[in-house]
Amino acid sequence: MAEPNIIGGFGGGALIGLAAVLLLAANGRIAGISGILNGVMTSPSNAERLWRLVFIVGLIAGASLYRLLSGALPIQLLSGPLMLAAAGVLVGFGTKLGSGCTSGHGVCGLARLSPRSVLATIVFMGFGIATVYIVRHLS
Amino acid sequence: MILIASFIAGSVFGLGLTISEMINPVRVIGFLDVAGQWDPTLAFVMAGALAVSLPGFRLVLRRPRPVMAQEFHLPTKSKIDSRLLTGAAIFGVGWGLGGFCPGPALAGLAAGDPAIYLFVMAMVAGQWTATRTLGE
């Protein structure tokens, strides 16, 4: 295992928090990525779809900038394509059903002290931990 | 102006995801692997995010309206229901299996890896299915 990335983690996390504050302050919107992505598909108006699309383009641009400056993105896949496809379906379905993900509930919801988000965060963390436990230590 | 702000917010978010390595399944699964060699990195990512968003949200929400929009669009649901809990559980399983959640997966498209395209397509399919199933 690589050494914990404490400084990068905290600093990068602070940037995530800052991005959420920026979006709220400027657009009045919650930076919940699952909701933003879903809204690109299901929002009723062009304006609603457009700002979301632009946000996602920005997401990819920010990561691209990092890649440009450092040479590579710090991504190491641990699952094969079949597992990734299954995981993707579950993440998509679950975040829509549960109205949020790590950014929507975990960053924004907790920042608003939302009881729904506190509970959702505990639940997805718990199930994430249980899943990894089963995959890594029981099979 | 809203579009410029959206782009900037998205870019800062994307930079945050990469610098924090939240985009890295190794860090995510390492954090979730409490019984193994536990990697606390993600805890620091959440701490950093909340260190900014908690006070930041409080400050921003004191204003009558956002800077570039007419009103704040905050979630309106208040009930803790089975959809919330079931959805969170399903999401948690998917997160644990792949090590990706929506933000990192989308940002990860910048890597140009077909496996990540696959995840994103599957994620979109999952969202779409849920939308139809919920009758929305």
Side-chain angles (χ1 to χ4, degrees):
Chain A
M1 185 199 77
E3 283 294 303
N5 185 3
I6 293 178
I7 303 212
F10 192 87
L15 283 178
I16 292 171
L18 178 64
V21 172
L22 283 175
L23 193 68
L24 187 68
N27 293 22
R29 301 282 184 170
I30 292 291
I33 309 301
S34 68
I36 290 176
L37 176 64
N38 191 251
V40 171
M41 296 185 284
T42 63
S43 286
S45 75
N46 281 332
E48 288 284 312
R49 281 189 291 269
L50 192 55
W51 79 258
R52 288 177 168 89
L53 192 61
V54 168
F55 181 93
I56 291 173
V57 169
L59 207 59
I60 300 172
S64 300
L65 179 64
Y66 182 97
R67 185 184 176 187
L68 200 70
L69 296 176
S70 73
L73 286 182
I75 298 180
Q76 215 181 309
L77 298 176
L78 291 177
S79 326
L82 216 55
M83 185 70 93
L84 279 177
V89 172
L90 292 174
V91 167
F93 192 92
T95 53
K96 172 60 187 176
L97 186 64
S99 306
C101 56
T102 45
S103 55
H105 283 309
V107 177
C108 299
L110 292 188
R112 293 173 56 228
L113 304 176
S114 153
R116 270 173 59 93
S117 291
V118 171
L119 216 48
T121 302
I122 291 173
V123 170
F124 70 64
M125 286 279 178
F127 274 80
I129 288 171
T131 300
V132 170
Y133 182 78
I134 291 172
V135 168
R136 278 202 167 173
H137 302 283
L138 290 186
S139 58
Chain B
M1 284 310 290
I2 278 192
L3 295 182
I4 294 176
S6 301
F7 182 80
I8 292 174
S11 305
V12 173
F13 202 108
L15 267 174
L17 286 176
T18 45
I19 292 172
S20 66
E21 285 193 76
M22 179 121 192
I23 204 176
N24 192 355
V26 164
R27 293 292 186 196
V28 172
I29 292 178
F31 170 76
L32 296 172
D33 188 14
V34 296
Q37 276 202 299
W38 187 60
D39 183 344
T41 302
L42 219 66
F44 288 95
V45 180
M46 295 299 293
L50 288 172
V52 175
S53 67
L54 258 163
F57 271 40
R58 278 186 67 195
L59 274 170
V60 169
L61 291 174
R62 276 192 207 151
R63 311 180 87 256
R65 44 164 285 198
V67 176
M68 296 170 189
Q70 292 301 320
E71 54 182 350
F72 290 109
H73 295 261
L74 300 176
T76 49
K77 293 183 194 173
S78 55
K79 227 179 54 150
I80 290 173
D81 57 13
S82 61
R83 281 189 181 184
L84 179 77
L85 301 176
T86 310
I90 294 173
F91 163 51
V93 173
W95 194 35
L97 286 177
F100 281 112
C101 56
L106 290 171
L109 292 173
D113 187 335
I116 299 178
Y117 299 160
L118 177 64
F119 181 93
V120 171
M121 286 192 291
M123 182 172 67
V124 168
Q127 281 204 325
W128 187 85
T129 305
T131 303
R132 298 299 242 141
T133 310
L134 294 174
E136 285 170 19

